[in-house]
Amino acid sequence: MFTGFTRFTGPRDRADRADRADRADRARPPARSRRTAWLSAQVLVLVLVAEAVMAATTVRTLLAPPAPHAAVTHALEPPLSVSKPFYPATTRFYTDPHNPAASWVRAHPRDRRAAAIRRRIADQPQAAWFTQTNESLVEEQARGLVGAAAAQRRLPVLVAYAIPQRDCEQYSSGGSGDAGVAYRRWIDAFTRGIGDRPALVVLEPDALAHLGCLRKRQRAERFAALAYAARTLRERAPRTRVYYDAGNSGWQPARTMAGRLRHAGIDRYGDGIAVNVSNFNATGDEVRYGLSVLRELRRPRLGVVVDTSRNGAGPTHKHQFCDPPGRRLGRAPTAATGIPGLDAFLWIKQPGQADGCAAGAGVFVPGYAYRLTGRPTG
């Protein structure tokens, strides 16, 4: 190994120098050699100790279980700083005893599928959807739900789903009549029902992803209606967090969705976005998409919630969205995400409810629910 500069010498010089060195070595004791050997031994010991420490550390790292989502967090963390998850990891979401699966189980206790549906679906926290156009009934139902959740110290998840032409007149057509006075009255009633109780509201699935069916004036009305809804909830239901629906990773580009969210007032009134609602995309894809939308919005205080109710097997090859076969329940609802910017995994779609192909949209289908649990049908 090259350690320094050396003067080039001839054969005679090298011979004379070797002879002088030999005589000098014979004339004095080898003190320098003993010191060098002692130092070398010390260095060797230190090297061996260092190698042992490194080896132990490597083994410990390999044997220790990985931190939850550590690799995912590193891969998905956007350049823009984002807030830590808003909800404590110990947050407990509300399980409505009147959810569709629970109601079916009570009505069919002897059905061979009942035990699996009860344990895997009915007993899990899931969102309650508010689709009724009757304002008094909506107010009463919302008040009852948040009251029951508060009594159990659980956080309820509510879905406001009443905006006109909410699904571009496809499987879930309907809504409150018009995006002006009628919808504002509906939101007012919904907000009165929540009042000052804690709640998480997912605001109008499909409303922003589905704009292609609307004329320019209707788009402006929809943006105004969503802004009014979020502002009303913020002002009159102060313990509610509002998550605008933002479609999913296979629908609109993140930049397009961010622009629509701005038009709908998320900068001023929203607390975050919901992605993958009623869809089947893989959780990792949806987390990446949600954080990409936040980067485009450049609002680090906002958070993301992901619907994991039916994405346990991911999407089909052709990304079918209407009751595709072979799907499974996804990750259980939790606020313990471990990912900055990601507030919760939720069951927003109620598992077992049809999308409009296996049965009418919103109808509970026990066979479909049973297949989602991963149980054989034979």
Side-chain angles (χ1 to χ4, degrees):
M1 182 175 67
F2 180 76
T3 58
F5 292 98
T6 303
R7 181 175 65 87
F8 290 100
T9 60
R12 183 174 179 178
D13 290 336
R14 286 196 295 271
D16 291 342
R17 187 170 57 190
D19 183 58
R20 287 195 299 272
D22 183 57
R23 287 197 302 271
D25 287 342
R26 289 195 299 269
R28 62 176 180 270
R32 179 179 177 84
S33 298
R34 289 196 299 271
R35 185 166 60 252
T36 301
W38 179 75
L39 289 174
S40 298
Q42 277 196 323
V43 170
L44 179 60
V45 169
L46 291 173
V47 168
L48 291 174
V49 170
E51 289 181 348
V53 171
M54 290 175 64
T57 303
T58 302
V59 171
R60 189 164 55 249
T61 301
L62 291 173
L63 295 180
H69 307 298
V72 177
T73 302
H74 177 74
L76 301 180
E77 188 173 357
L80 175 68
S81 61
V82 291
S83 302
K84 65 181 182 180
F86 176 81
Y87 296 108
T90 54
T91 298
R92 302 171 73 186
F93 294 101
Y94 178 62
T95 302
D96 181 7
H98 303 291
N99 67 59
S103 298
W104 181 86
V105 167
R106 280 194 299 273
H108 303 84
R110 297 184 182 279
D111 192 291
R112 65 182 180 83
R113 301 165 295 186
I117 291 175
R118 179 184 63 251
R119 184 176 65 257
R120 299 290 308 281
I121 298 177
D123 291 347
Q124 295 297 321
Q126 50 198 273
W129 289 61
F130 290 79
T131 63
Q132 291 274 356
T133 56
N134 184 310
E135 297 156 19
S136 298
L137 184 58
V138 164
E139 180 177 347
E140 178 185 348
Q141 290 177 339
R143 182 175 291 112
L145 185 80
V146 298
Q152 296 183 20
R153 297 186 178 181
R154 305 287 181 92
L155 181 67
V157 179
L158 296 78
V159 181
Y161 193 51
I163 205 162
Q165 292 184 280
R166 58 194 175 196
D167 193 26
C168 282
E169 299 183 354
Q170 294 188 45
Y171 298 103
S172 300
S173 60
S176 62
D178 68 78
V181 175
Y183 184 70
R184 292 187 179 202
R185 285 201 306 260
W186 190 93
I187 282 294
D188 290 346
F190 178 69
T191 304
R192 285 195 302 271
I194 296 174
D196 63 353
R197 302 293 180 89
L200 186 160
V201 170
V202 176
L203 186 60
E204 298 296 346
D206 303 331
L208 289 175
H210 261 316
L211 284 180
C213 64
L214 302 180
R215 300 184 182 91
K216 183 177 180 180
R217 176 182 59 79
Q218 291 174 317
R219 292 187 181 195
E221 289 174 348
R222 177 164 291 186
F223 290 140
L226 291 170
Y228 178 84
R231 185 183 70 199
T232 301
L233 286 162
R234 174 175 284 271
E235 293 175 353
R236 304 179 198 172
R239 300 174 72 186
T240 294
R241 282 180 66 83
V242 179
Y243 292 81
Y244 284 66
D245 182 73
N248 61 69
S249 60
W251 206 340
Q252 301 294 343
R255 180 167 296 181
T256 299
M257 183 52 65
R260 294 179 181 185
L261 288 162
R262 286 193 197 94
H263 282 302
I266 195 170
D267 293 355
R268 294 166 288 170
Y269 311 123
D271 297 294
I273 60 174
V275 296
N276 205 43
V277 174
S278 299
N279 217 286
F280 305 88
N281 294 329
T283 300
D285 292 340
E286 294 308 296
V287 172
R288 280 186 285 272
Y289 176 70
L291 295 180
S292 295
V293 174
L294 294 194
R295 284 200 300 270
E296 295 291 342
L297 288 168
R298 303 202 67 78
R299 289 293 184 272
R301 67 174 181 80
L302 300 177
V304 180
V305 295
V306 179
D307 186 355
T308 58
S309 58
R310 305 183 299 177
N311 73 343
T316 64
H317 178 66
K318 295 184 178 181
H319 286 264
Q320 294 171 261
F321 68 92
C322 188
D323 301 321
R327 302 309 93 198
R328 296 289 182 267
L329 299 172
R331 186 187 304 240
T334 180
T337 69
I339 302 175
L342 186 64
D343 287 347
F345 297 118
L346 302 174
W347 283 12
I348 299 174
K349 175 71 174 183
Q350 295 173 320
Q353 279 195 335
D355 298 313
C357 294
V363 174
F364 182 80
V365 181
Y368 181 34
Y370 188 68
R371 288 190 292 273
L372 286 172
T373 68
R375 303 288 176 169
T377 57

